[in-house]
């Protein structure tokens, strides 16, 4: 009889699970119109990329549930028409696959203050669109990085790494869905949160050369780009596709958020695709950095064992251009607030730096077809919408609300 009772209980639980799954699928298909929204906290949601086919339904749902009392943070790096959204949309200009570090800090501070002023307010965050099941477009990675940093700063997680695990569990993704660069920025955030480093008042340094180890020798055409946030600092072709390894004399002043990107194409007339990428902040590294293959973003899994990127810096005697006073002040306040936080930090703080693993794929919009480019002549939204490049842009965004 005990065995029969256990079997009956198991069958009952199985039936309940099946009913719940059917109800969830019905709600997603017919009520939410396939617009995925994950509730991490009552006032913190994660959404899929609002493709043209789903944008109307997502806007209708947000308007119905929150009126105009919500903010959408766009981490996709793509602009889209926001006319139907009653709440404002913040377009964050990315540094590769991560928000610029000072922007990340300031966003945590300002968002927490804005949410705390009213229980009816809500923050919705989305990334880009996952392209296919055979390549990791990392659509979800920037969202995890931002929300994990926020949960840690707000005292809702003991560390950014544990915040990352919370977000991944809630969204039913593996924790290795983040690229190495995004894990690196969470490590930066934890160091800043503890007051062990600063990112402001740093003079530019000269990036003298870049060395690529174990790359090439396969007759594939490649080119290199060095970006400082949204500014292209250096561009060059790999001159000899049949040669293994390459050295580039860059000799360029830079500071802050940098990204090194290598793109490839089978032939020179073919469209290039991103093969590897490294995003980092100069404040956390000395005159030499070696990024091993496990520390390099590999969108298509093409970075192999033995591949590495070496970065060489020289101290520069040139003071560089002084930061704009308002931007410098905003960054200073963000750095101080990241250390202090809204309340005392939890007693348990993880000290081990998370390992930087390879990418995985999480498709937030698996059924979507590729959208055609947005119409550049479309009328601008009548709602508040700003593009965020720097911390002072975040201040201006919230001042306009």
């Amino acid at each position: 009889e005990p065995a029969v009772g256990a079997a009956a209980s198991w069958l009952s639980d199985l039936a309940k699970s099946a009913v719940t799954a059917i109800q969830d699928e019905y709600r997603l298909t017919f009520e939410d119109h396939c617009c995925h929204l994950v509730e991490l906290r009552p006032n913190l949601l994660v959404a899929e990329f609002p493709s043209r086919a789903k944008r109307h339904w997502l806007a209708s749902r947000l308007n119905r549930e929150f009126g105009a009392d919500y903010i959408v943070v766009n981490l996709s790096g793509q602009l889209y028409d926001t006319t139907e959204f009653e709440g404002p949309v913040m377009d964050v200009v990315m540094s590769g696959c991560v928000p610029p570090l000072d922007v990340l800090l300031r966003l945590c501070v300002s968002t927490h203050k804005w949410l705390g002023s009213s229980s009816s307010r809500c923050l919705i965050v989305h990334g880009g669109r996952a392209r296919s099941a055979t390549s990791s477009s990392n659509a979800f990675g920037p969202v995890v990085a931002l929300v994990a940093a926020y949960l840690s700063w707000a005292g809702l997680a003991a560390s950014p790494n544990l915040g990352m695990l919370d977000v991944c569990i809630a969204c039913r993704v593996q924790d290795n869905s983040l690229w190495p660069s995004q894990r690196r920025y969470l490590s930066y955030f934890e160091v800043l949160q503890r007051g062990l480093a600063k990112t402001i008042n740093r003079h530019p340094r000269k990036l003298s050369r870049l060395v690529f180890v174990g790359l090439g020798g396969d007759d594939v055409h490649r080119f290199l780009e060095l970006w400082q946030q949204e500014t292209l600092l250096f561009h060059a072709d790999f001159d000899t596709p049949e040669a293994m390894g390459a050295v580039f004399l860059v000799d360029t002043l830079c500071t802050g958020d940098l990204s090194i990107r290598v793109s490839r194409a089978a032939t020179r007339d073919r469209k290039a695709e991103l093969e590897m990428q490294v995003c980092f902040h100069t404040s956390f590294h000395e005159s030499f950095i070696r990024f091993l293959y496990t520390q390099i973003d590999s969108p298509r899994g093409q970075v192999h064992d033995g591949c590495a990127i070496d970065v060489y810096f020289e101290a520069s005697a040139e003071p560089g251009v002084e930061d704009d006073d308002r931007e410098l002040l905003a960054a200073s306040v963000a750095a101080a607030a990241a250390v202090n936080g809204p309340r005392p930090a939890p007693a348990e703080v993880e000290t081990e730096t998370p390992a930087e693993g390879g990418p995985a794929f999480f498709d937030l919009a698996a059924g979507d077809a590729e959208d055609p480019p947005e119409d550049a002549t479309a009328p601008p939204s009548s709602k508040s919408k700003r593009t965020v490049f720097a911390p002072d842009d975040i201040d201006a965004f919230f001042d306009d609300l």
Side-chain angles (χ1 to χ4, degrees):
E1 291 185 3
V4 173
S9 176
W10 178 79
L11 289 174
S12 176
D13 291 341
L14 184 63
K16 291 178 181 178
S17 298
V19 170
T20 300
I22 293 172
Q23 290 174 341
D24 290 344
E25 186 66 24
Y26 178 90
R27 186 180 302 110
L28 174 65
T29 303
F30 296 102
E31 296 180 10
D32 298 339
H33 300 280
C34 294
C35 296
H36 295 266
L37 278 176
V38 178
E39 182 179 297
L40 302 177
R41 296 291 188 276
N43 60 353
L44 182 58
L45 305 179
V46 172
E48 64 178 314
F49 177 79
S51 63
R52 184 172 295 179
K54 297 180 179 180
R55 195 175 306 154
H56 166 76
W57 303 112
L58 178 61
S60 297
R61 179 176 176 182
L62 295 179
N63 297 340
R64 181 177 67 250
E65 295 186 11
F66 305 106
D69 229 4
Y70 66 88
I71 292 175
V72 176
V73 177
N74 173 16
L75 300 178
S76 70
Q78 305 174 46
L79 302 179
Y80 53 86
D81 179 32
T82 63
T83 305
E84 294 187 79
F85 292 89
E86 292 185 12
V89 175
M90 176 191 294
D91 297 315
V92 178
V93 176
M94 306 290 284
S95 178
C97 62
V98 291
L101 190 57
D102 288 331
V103 168
L104 180 63
L105 289 168
R106 191 62 190 170
L107 190 54
C108 289
V109 176
S110 298
T111 296
H112 189 74
K113 180 180 178 181
W114 182 79
L115 289 175
S117 63
S118 173
S119 60
S120 64
R121 291 179 170 178
C122 187
L123 182 74
I124 298 93
V125 186
H126 74 76
R129 185 210 320 277
R131 301 299 179 187
S132 69
T134 58
S135 69
S136 176
S137 69
N138 194 233
F140 196 61
V143 175
V144 177
L146 170 60
V147 177
Y150 173 76
L151 292 177
S152 176
W153 182 85
L156 301 174
S159 70
N161 193 40
L162 292 178
M164 175 198 71
L165 295 177
D166 289 345
V167 178
C168 290
I169 291 172
C171 296
R172 300 179 183 179
V173 297
Q174 296 181 351
D175 61 333
N176 61 0
S177 61
L178 267 71
W179 285 354
S181 290
Q182 291 154 351
R183 291 179 176 269
R184 187 176 302 115
Y185 267 64
L186 286 180
S187 298
Y188 293 160
F189 190 91
E190 184 167 7
V191 171
L192 292 176
Q193 195 173 9
R194 296 183 183 186
L196 301 178
K198 65 177 184 177
T199 60
I200 59 173
N201 291 327
R202 293 272 186 168
H203 292 314
R205 289 188 291 167
K206 179 183 288 186
L207 198 161
S208 58
R209 65 186 186 275
L210 294 172
V211 179
F212 293 85
V213 180
L215 178 64
D218 51 5
D219 291 326
V220 173
H221 295 278
R222 294 179 171 86
F223 63 88
L224 163 69
E225 293 178 334
L226 172 66
W227 291 79
Q228 180 174 293
Q229 290 189 214
E230 75 283 359
T231 303
L232 180 62
L233 299 180
F234 181 83
H235 177 281
D237 290 334
F238 283 71
D239 292 331
T240 52
E242 67 278 3
M244 178 70 76
V247 178
F248 294 91
L249 301 179
V250 181
D251 289 333
T252 299
L253 286 175
C254 54
T255 187
D257 300 277
L258 300 180
S259 59
I260 299 169
R261 308 174 197 175
V262 175
S263 299
R264 58 179 283 160
T267 60
R268 292 190 181 276
D269 57 348
R270 292 283 298 275
K271 182 180 179 180
E273 61 184 26
L274 183 65
E275 179 178 13
M276 64 176 63
Q277 173 181 252
V278 169
C279 304
F280 62 100
H281 197 287
T282 58
S283 297
F284 298 84
H285 302 279
E286 301 300 327
S287 58
F288 171 75
I289 319 169
R290 164 160 284 193
F291 295 104
L292 301 175
Y293 79 100
T294 56
Q295 300 170 318
I296 300 172
D297 305 333
S298 178
R300 297 183 177 272
Q302 297 165 326
V303 178
H304 58 81
D305 187 358
C307 183
I309 301 176
D310 293 342
V311 185
Y312 294 84
F313 284 100
E314 296 177 4
S316 175
E318 302 178 45
V321 179
E322 297 260 338
D323 288 329
D324 177 81
D325 290 341
R326 187 173 179 219
E327 178 179 341
L328 182 60
L329 177 61
S332 303
V333 172
V339 174
N340 297 327
R343 64 184 189 185
E348 293 185 16
V349 179
E350 187 168 282
T351 58
E352 182 179 357
T353 300
E356 297 185 347
F361 177 77
F362 177 73
D363 192 346
L364 282 171
D368 284 351
E370 183 72 18
D371 275 347
E374 296 281 1
D375 183 4
T377 62
S381 170
S382 60
K383 309 302 178 186
S384 175
K385 176 174 177 174
R386 290 186 62 93
T387 299
V388 169
F389 294 89
D392 61 327
D393 295 327
I394 295 178
D395 291 338
F397 181 93
F398 282 94
D399 287 345
D400 288 344
L401 297 182

